[in-house]
Amino acid sequence: MREVSNVLVTGGLGFIGSAFMRFLFRTNAFTGRVVNLDLLTYAGNPDNVAGFVDESRYSFVRGDICDQQLVSRLCQEHAIDTIVNFAAESHVDRSIAGPGVFIQTNIVGTYSLLEVVRSFPSIHFHHVSTDEVYGSLGITGAFDEQSPYRPNSPYSASKAASDHLVRSYAHTFGISTTISNCSNNYGPFQFPEKLIPLMILNAVERKPLPVYGDGLNIRDWLYVDDHVEAIWTVICEGDRGATYNIGGKNEWTNIAIVEKIADLLGRIQREEPGQFRSLITFVKDRPGHDRRYAIDSNKLTNQLGWRARHDFEAGLDETIRWYLRNSQWISRVKTGAYRQWIKKNYDER
Ligand code: NAD
Ligand code: TYD
């Protein structure tokens, strides 16, 4: 069992990093301090941490994971013993439109963190990664930890490179690391460029629901709180230097998900059946679109006892209701008002 006192979370203003910190502040298993280092890119939303921003054990620093001096200073000043690296460019479509920043943050950023960890031998480094590093599956099978890396998008290639760097630094320099490769997440606070929140918000506004290609691509969906509990389990109990796959054994075609969202929303809003389904529009496919992901997380379950606790239908229903309840969060994201805090606190200084 690894002792975790003071944690440096990178990318904590994003979707999963903020859920991880919410978890840290509600679990009895953690009583230490959290420093959140985030660059405040378009995906970094201060509203995501509104629920615990006044917590005395929390502090926020705006900065880049590529800034080794800053990261070193934070590790020193806050007696950090664990770094959890969520910071990344995370959207495949953006990586196709402009790969450069993915190379910089995901690869150079991870390298920079690892360089710092080399000079703090007592720090454990957990790297949060994706199942997309393994490439695309046919109709059968699932990725396990032995599956070869075959990334297909600039996003997954940059994450694959970062995983390799972590592995090599553990092997060559003896630093303490763990890596987790997780399937697609969904839940509250997800930026509405990703499939599930995009479809919910478009449907609410009666806008088209754009399904890429034939809609038969398959993803393995996991509720974000199940993911952060798995990360915590790996950090505390995972073998040093090991990799763990995380998934929910929950495969769906994209079209089935979009239909599900349409039907659940119809029920919640007491609409005529089929109202929201009529918004579904098939659009041009994503270049290089991976056909199927599926994760075998037996290692994590058998060795460390983790299993997903959220049922998909219930999780999706909860997520839709969260977006319906949080119209202010949505409008601040849509209008860009969530960036005003950044302007006021940083850019205008
Ligand atoms: P996100 O895009 O919501 O958040 C990324 C955060 O990183 C933002 O707050 C952003 O401001 C910050 N950031 C970006 N560049 C930075 C830099 N150079 N320095 C410091 N901070 C920076 O991403 P997410 O969906 O929360 O994903 C978090 C991690 O989990 C990523 O590493 C991603 O690859 C991985 N992952 C995501 C999923 C998913 O379904 N979303 C699944 C598996 C793994
Ligand atoms: P996304 O949420 O971008 O995650 P990823 O590409 O990392 O799996 O997309 C999930 C799936 O949904 C993927 O197969 C692409 C598809 N998709 C659409 O069909 N329409 C959309 O508007 C988006 C954003 C995604």
Side-chain angles (χ1 to χ4, degrees):
M1 192 78 171
R2 194 168 282 118
E3 282 298 314
V4 180
S5 299
N6 298 323
V7 182
L8 177 66
V9 166
T10 71
L13 294 183
F15 167 49
I16 307 174
S18 63
F20 180 71
M21 292 190 293
R22 232 172 278 123
F23 166 81
L24 288 182
F25 289 127
R26 74 172 173 260
T27 179
N28 295 328
F30 175 75
T31 53
R33 303 179 57 83
V34 181
V35 180
N36 173 14
L37 173 66
D38 194 296
L39 187 58
L40 287 161
T41 70
Y42 80 94
N45 183 348
D47 294 351
N48 291 359
V49 297
F52 57 81
V53 73
D54 295 327
E55 164 69 58
S56 60
R57 296 188 289 147
Y58 172 73
S59 50
F60 173 71
V61 177
R62 183 192 195 177
D64 193 331
I65 56 168
C66 299
D67 184 344
Q68 290 183 33
Q69 254 186 341
L70 170 64
V71 176
S72 280
R73 182 168 63 71
L74 294 177
C75 290
Q76 187 81 50
E77 279 178 12
H78 297 273
I80 296 298
D81 54 43
T82 307
I83 297 179
V84 190
N85 183 30
F86 293 93
E89 288 294 330
S90 68
H91 192 207
V92 173
D93 291 328
R94 285 181 189 257
S95 82
I96 296 167
V101 70
F102 285 72
I103 306 304
Q104 184 61 25
T105 287
N106 299 0
I107 305 179
V108 179
T110 303
Y111 149 77
S112 305
L113 292 172
L114 290 166
E115 276 295 302
V116 173
V117 174
R118 274 180 76 183
S119 53
F120 290 87
S122 60
I123 291 183
H124 178 75
F125 184 79
H126 180 78
H127 185 59
V128 179
S129 192
T130 166
D131 61 352
E132 302 189 24
V133 297
Y134 299 120
S136 184
L137 288 165
I139 46 174
T140 57
F143 301 126
D144 64 21
E145 290 80 0
Q146 268 69 53
S147 298
Y149 272 42
R150 289 202 180 100
N152 287 320
S153 71
Y155 163 66
S156 55
S158 67
K159 293 296 292 187
S162 67
D163 292 6
H164 289 322
L165 284 168
V166 175
R167 191 178 178 284
S168 75
Y169 270 63
H171 185 81
T172 305
F173 302 116
I175 66 171
S176 176
T177 64
T178 38
I179 301 176
S180 53
N181 294 87
C182 188
S183 59
N184 287 60
N185 283 211
Y186 71 100
F189 298 101
Q190 188 168 29
F191 196 83
E193 62 186 355
K194 305 277 166 58
L195 180 76
I196 289 181
L198 181 84
M199 294 299 161
I200 297 170
L201 299 198
N202 278 17
V204 168
E205 290 187 29
R206 306 289 202 268
K207 286 187 181 160
L209 308 179
V211 174
Y212 298 165
D214 61 8
L216 297 178
N217 301 66
I218 291 174
R219 298 292 182 264
D220 182 349
W221 293 91
L222 185 70
Y223 193 73
V224 64
D225 287 353
D226 284 326
H227 184 188
V228 302
E229 284 185 20
I231 290 172
W232 178 249
T233 303
V234 171
I235 291 170
C236 296
E237 295 170 47
D239 289 339
R240 194 176 155 136
T243 286
Y244 294 86
N245 282 354
I246 308 172
K249 292 196 172 63
N250 182 43
E251 293 179 51
W252 295 91
T253 61
N254 292 337
I255 187 66
I257 298 261
V258 177
E259 287 174 352
K260 227 177 216 315
I261 291 170
D263 295 349
L264 282 168
L265 191 62
R267 228 174 293 152
I268 293 167
Q269 299 206 322
R270 297 201 169 83
E271 289 281 350
E272 289 289 307
Q275 278 285 319
F276 291 112
R277 279 195 187 211
S278 67
L279 299 170
I280 293 173
T281 311
F282 288 91
V283 299
K284 194 165 169 286
D285 208 356
R286 168 189 282 172
H289 197 175
D290 283 340
R291 194 62 171 170
R292 174 169 169 261
Y293 304 142
I295 271 277
D296 174 345
S297 48
N298 286 332
K299 179 181 175 187
L300 181 57
T301 302
N302 295 341
Q303 280 188 14
L304 308 184
W306 172 89
R307 50 174 43 82
R309 292 195 289 139
H310 286 79
D311 163 74
F312 187 52
E313 193 97 10
L316 200 53
D317 186 80
E318 207 176 296
T319 302
I320 293 172
R321 290 178 195 273
W322 185 88
Y323 280 96
L324 292 174
R325 273 198 316 275
N326 286 276
S327 50
Q328 204 193 348
W329 184 91
I330 293 162
S331 82
R332 285 169 57 77
V333 167
K334 285 197 158 170
T335 59
Y338 74 109
R339 315 290 303 162
Q340 277 161 13
W341 180 87
I342 302 163
K343 263 205 195 114
K344 194 158 146 268
N345 286 279
Y346 292 97
D347 299 343
E348 285 168 8
R349 270 191 192 168

